[in-house]
Amino acid sequence: MTKKRDILIDDTKFSTTKGPWFGELPVPEGGDYDFAFISDRTGGAVHEMFEKGLEAAKRLNPDFIVSIGDLVEGYWTDEAEAHGEWDRIDPLLAGLGVPVFQTVGNHDYGTEAMIRVWRERKGIDYYAFRYDRTLFLVANTETAPLSLPEAMLELMQQANRELIRNPQALFMDLMRDLAGDNVPAEAWKMTEDTLIDPHLSEEQIDFFERVLADNADVDWTFVCLHQPAWKKPDPVFERLERLLAERPYTVVSGHVHYLEVTEKRGRQYIQMGKTGGLHCFEGPGDIHHILSVKMRGGVPQFEVILLEGEGGTQTLDAYVKKTADTGGIGAEKTGM
């Protein structure tokens, strides 16, 4: 049987040779293989934690790495500043020596300037790829325009400039110092309800429907999202779930900076914690980590690779979302 390694692009929309990935998939040897997921770096990157995550992922000797978005602080309205930030991050990915596939995040794509720069540098904002008998659907949950007040955007950009000059500074401290008394205390409070606002497009699901039909023989399918779209009523995402219903699959997202696993329809929906990003919520899922995935017999085995302190590993079992009766995600946190 031919061992497949294909990158699949929606040629009804895109006509470009560019893509949000670095390196080339190795030729599958057939059977078992390993890869890794990395999560959010932004919202005020913890100094050198993302780099530590990349090195931890590389040490796993994976066939490839998947980022689920938010690699740059972003929110720039000036294209030169957006390019400047990508000029600092892209070489880290390109020089890793392991293929890296990117999912677009809100920080990466959150303003008209960021969208133009993404398209100029990376070409497409959703795609799929196949590696042997595993299929990956890489979606864009950021298709609706960002609705941040101009004053808040400028505040975030000022804080980003300070972080560039002083990477060890704390983003939220910079934001509060810059805002002074002009921003009320309640404006800094964050909840899942206000934080999660995914926007997938029907054209993506049309494309994924064709990809799924053409790759009905795979053992497993991964859906890569930035925002955890299953946490808000969304008919577009629900359509994708219906297309996936008869096959084994796993959904992986980020955005909330809190590791939590939802079990739904006999499948796992994994909301990753952070790989260098801002501390948002209190609780056991508030960790810096990457996710090791070992495909064994066509089925994924997950291991949480801890990045703080002495490191170590954990299973996902400790992060399965609890019911309303026993509590879930930690208390709301002052954050951004």
Side-chain angles (χ1 to χ4, degrees):
M1 180 181 292
T2 302
K3 301 177 182 66
K4 295 184 178 180
R5 53 162 186 167
D6 299 324
I7 295 178
L8 308 165
I9 296 172
D10 186 356
D11 56 14
T12 67
K13 179 179 178 182
F14 303 113
S15 56
T16 178
T17 58
K18 297 178 180 178
W21 52 76
F22 293 94
E24 183 178 346
L25 284 169
V27 176
E29 296 180 357
D32 299 341
Y33 72 94
D34 300 348
F35 71 98
F37 282 103
I38 58 175
S39 191
D40 300 44
R41 170 188 169 273
T42 54
V46 175
H47 186 52
E48 296 186 345
M49 185 65 75
F50 178 72
E51 290 82 352
K52 186 175 182 180
L54 289 181
E55 287 303 313
K58 184 175 181 177
R59 284 196 300 272
L60 296 172
N61 195 29
D63 285 57
F64 54 88
I65 294 169
V66 180
S67 159
I68 45 78
D70 276 6
L71 296 183
V72 294
E73 299 293 352
Y75 290 118
W76 300 109
T77 52
D78 180 276
E79 290 182 34
E81 290 185 296
H83 275 297
E85 196 170 6
W86 281 116
D87 285 345
R88 289 183 289 275
I89 293 300
D90 280 349
L92 293 178
L93 307 179
L96 197 59
V98 179
V100 179
F101 291 85
Q102 291 177 250
T103 308
V104 67
N106 56 298
H107 283 252
D108 309 323
Y109 208 74
T111 64
E112 289 300 321
M114 296 298 298
I115 292 171
R116 289 192 297 270
V117 168
W118 177 279
R119 290 174 178 168
E120 179 181 341
R121 298 177 73 107
K122 303 175 185 293
I124 62 178
D125 57 274
Y126 65 89
Y127 59 102
F129 68 95
R130 174 170 175 161
Y131 192 66
D132 203 3
R133 297 182 60 82
T134 314
L135 184 65
F136 295 79
L137 309 180
V138 185
N140 178 2
T141 58
E142 314 306 318
T143 60
L146 183 72
S147 56
L148 276 177
E150 186 174 338
M152 181 60 74
L153 271 177
E154 179 54 35
L155 195 64
M156 294 173 73
Q157 291 174 61
Q158 290 181 52
N160 287 346
R161 294 182 192 112
E162 289 295 325
L163 272 181
I164 291 168
R165 286 189 286 267
N166 180 14
Q168 297 190 52
L170 298 178
F171 182 78
M172 289 311 302
D173 289 348
L174 292 171
M175 288 283 286
R176 292 190 186 91
D177 289 344
L178 289 165
D181 297 329
N182 296 323
V183 178
E186 58 268 19
W188 304 113
K189 292 181 180 179
M190 182 190 305
T191 66
E192 272 205 345
D193 188 59
T194 58
L195 184 64
I196 300 171
D197 187 26
H199 293 277
L200 290 151
S201 61
E202 288 285 359
E203 66 182 359
Q204 294 180 67
I205 312 306
D206 292 342
F207 168 65
F208 293 145
E209 182 173 16
R210 296 192 297 271
V211 169
L212 287 165
D214 292 342
N215 294 273
D217 62 321
V218 298
D219 296 324
W220 207 275
T221 299
F222 286 91
V223 180
C224 307
L225 310 170
H226 180 62
Q227 295 201 41
W230 66 90
K231 291 192 168 185
K232 286 287 182 73
D234 183 354
V236 181
F237 181 68
E238 289 162 8
R239 178 187 163 200
L240 179 58
E241 287 183 304
R242 289 193 295 273
L243 293 172
L244 292 163
E246 300 305 316
R247 63 172 65 206
Y249 71 88
T250 303
V251 183
V252 183
S253 80
H255 186 60
V256 182
H257 298 197
Y258 191 92
L259 177 56
E260 183 179 82
V261 181
T262 300
E263 295 182 342
K264 183 181 182 184
R265 298 189 174 96
R267 312 294 196 271
Q268 286 189 321
Y269 291 58
I270 303 169
Q271 173 188 281
M272 289 186 70
K274 51 201 189 290
T275 308
L278 175 73
H279 165 58
C280 292
F281 296 97
E282 302 286 352
D286 176 35
I287 58 172
H288 292 283
H289 74 102
I290 63 171
L291 197 60
S292 168
V293 188
K294 298 180 182 297
M295 297 301 298
R296 299 293 183 265
V299 177
Q301 299 175 5
F302 298 98
E303 191 171 52
V304 179
I305 311 295
L306 302 171
L307 300 177
E308 297 170 279
E310 297 181 358
T313 63
Q314 292 181 328
T315 68
L316 282 176
D317 295 345
Y319 300 98
V320 174
K321 185 177 180 179
K322 298 179 175 61
T323 66
D325 292 335
T326 57
I329 196 168
E332 72 176 29
K333 172 72 179 175
T334 297
M336 188 66 200

